[in-house]
Amino acid sequence: MNWLTGRFMLPPQGSAFADQVDTTFLGIYWLSVVLFWGITLTTLYFAWRYQYKAGRVTPHQTHNTTLEILWSVIPLLICVGLFFWGLNGYMKYAVAPGDAMEISVTGKQWLWEFTYPDGSKTINDMHVPVNKPVRLVMTSEDVLHDFFVPDMRVKMDVIPGRYTQVWFTPTVLGAHTFTCAEYCGKDHSGMKGIMTVEKQEDFDKFLATGGTEWETYRDSGDWAGWGKLQYERKGCNSCHSVDGTSSKGPTWKGLFGKTETLGTGTTLVVDDAYLQESMLQPNAKVVKGFEPIMPTFQGLLRNHEIKGLVAYIQSLK
Ligand code: CUA
């Protein structure tokens, strides 16, 4: 009977107010089920019970005051009750506690950028400490996006030229998916990532160094593997292929050591220094045939992440 008593259809509850959101939703849902079947079955029964029979005379009734009052007042009370139930939840949802940690969220075609209180940034990879209220202050650099974290019951439009806010208290450690919930162009489906809810000490470590995940790669010496992860996480994959196909930016396959012709006509050999410069000052030396559209990753990539990316590019023969 789990489908009846449980929270079927709903994702796991990851935040403090998820339970109240679900209870409200399921309350309205079951009320609708009862009303739908109650009305449908009564209608069918009456149609059968009072069907035409030769010789049956329909009694004449003008009105029934008691009945009319009842069918007006009961639905009114239900609607007023639902309103205050919803309002109560909305008031909690609307105003963040004063001690909430603020993370700013920027949506752009087609990635999410997160800026933490200490100024460090991540892309498509969000970290929050468990059991601490978090307030998201969000805006868009281009079109309408929508930040949606199903497990947290958080969903809010992200609007160019405006700031919108949501807050929540994550209560469940581990990975929770977030996504863009507003169709925003060709690669809308790529605007998704993982919110990692972790212990305060792990969160502090993440801000300082990139977290325990990085340590695993460092200890194994797998720089190319670390770089591949950054390639997917930081959104490099939306413009650079690794299989030789041309996209908005040059492919990374066979890039390292290649002689490239720049837009200015000069040539250079792709090495560590050029790759690093291209991540931090992308428009300094743009390869011929490509638009200078790459955003700077200054402040967005830690040194070990740059090193990983260079190693990854080097590994793509
Ligand atoms: Cu951003 Cu869809």
Side-chain angles (χ1 to χ4, degrees):
M1 289 297 271
N2 187 43
W3 63 273
L4 191 64
T5 55
R7 301 172 313 95
F8 68 105
M9 303 185 289
L10 297 173
Q13 295 177 335
S15 70
F17 51 48
D19 192 51
Q20 186 178 9
V21 173
D22 292 1
T23 308
T24 310
F25 171 78
L26 290 173
I28 294 171
Y29 175 81
W30 285 114
L31 181 68
S32 307
V33 168
V34 168
L35 289 176
F36 174 80
W37 286 109
I39 291 168
T40 305
L41 293 176
T42 309
T43 307
L44 289 173
Y45 171 74
F46 277 34
W48 169 79
R49 176 70 181 76
Y50 300 104
Q51 64 189 291
Y52 172 77
K53 279 210 177 105
R56 178 185 275 172
V57 181
T58 310
H60 179 72
Q61 288 194 4
T62 52
H63 68 285
N64 183 328
T65 309
T66 315
L67 198 58
E68 284 169 23
I69 289 176
L70 278 179
W71 79 38
S72 304
V73 171
I74 292 175
L76 178 72
L77 290 179
I78 292 177
C79 288
V80 170
L82 287 178
F83 171 78
F84 281 103
W85 194 4
L87 182 70
N88 177 270
Y90 177 79
M91 293 303 281
K92 284 185 200 162
Y93 192 78
V95 185
D99 62 345
M101 179 179 76
E102 188 177 308
I103 298 178
S104 64
V105 180
T106 305
K108 52 183 144 180
Q109 289 171 323
W110 285 276
L111 54 84
W112 294 105
E113 185 182 297
F114 304 98
T115 309
Y116 298 87
D118 71 346
S120 59
K121 295 183 183 204
T122 56
I123 288 172
N124 292 347
D125 170 36
M126 189 183 192
H127 289 245
V128 286
V130 72
N131 294 330
K132 297 267 165 65
V134 177
R135 184 160 66 106
L136 307 181
V137 179
M138 312 193 288
T139 193
S140 164
E141 284 191 4
D142 38 46
V143 300
L144 197 60
H145 302 280
D146 189 296
F147 191 68
F148 183 28
V149 199
D151 292 359
M152 302 298 155
R153 306 294 186 272
V154 159
K155 183 171 178 293
M156 180 60 76
D157 276 358
V158 177
I159 304 166
R162 263 206 238 173
Y163 289 92
T164 51
Q165 300 192 14
V166 276
W167 80 278
F168 59 98
T169 304
T171 54
V172 179
L173 290 170
H176 304 272
T177 306
F178 61 79
T179 182
C180 179
E182 187 71 56
Y183 181 65
C184 55
K186 183 171 77 68
D187 293 330
H188 153 73
S189 63
M191 283 186 78
K192 60 183 186 320
I194 297 291
M195 174 189 289
T196 305
V197 179
E198 54 200 359
K199 294 194 190 110
Q200 183 71 46
E201 59 263 35
D202 291 334
F203 178 73
D204 294 340
K205 204 179 214 174
F206 155 75
L207 284 187
T209 66
T212 47
E213 195 176 29
W214 144 242
E215 288 172 3
T216 315
Y217 280 93
R218 181 194 58 193
D219 296 344
S220 69
D222 182 10
W223 285 99
W226 178 240
K228 183 171 190 291
L229 197 66
Q230 306 313 314
Y231 169 74
E232 288 152 8
R233 288 230 178 115
K234 308 281 180 182
C236 315
N237 56 0
S238 62
C239 296
H240 298 280
S241 80
V242 290
D243 61 1
T245 43
S246 192
S247 185
K248 276 171 273 180
T251 182
W252 285 3
K253 188 183 166 71
L255 180 64
F256 198 88
K258 190 175 163 192
T259 306
E260 289 277 32
T261 307
L262 302 182
T264 54
T266 52
T267 59
L268 61 77
V269 175
V270 176
D271 59 5
D272 305 39
Y274 174 65
L275 290 175
Q276 177 160 348
E277 181 186 65
S278 296
M279 292 175 208
L280 304 179
Q281 292 171 264
N283 299 332
K285 292 171 188 148
V286 179
V287 173
K288 193 172 179 199
F290 291 97
E291 296 292 320
I293 52 169
M294 177 164 157
T296 175
F297 282 75
Q298 190 99 48
L300 282 169
L301 290 171
R302 298 180 180 88
N303 284 335
H304 58 67
E305 291 164 346
I306 294 174
K307 194 174 162 190
L309 282 166
V310 171
Y312 178 52
I313 293 170
Q314 213 166 350
S315 75
L316 299 164
K317 301 272 189 278

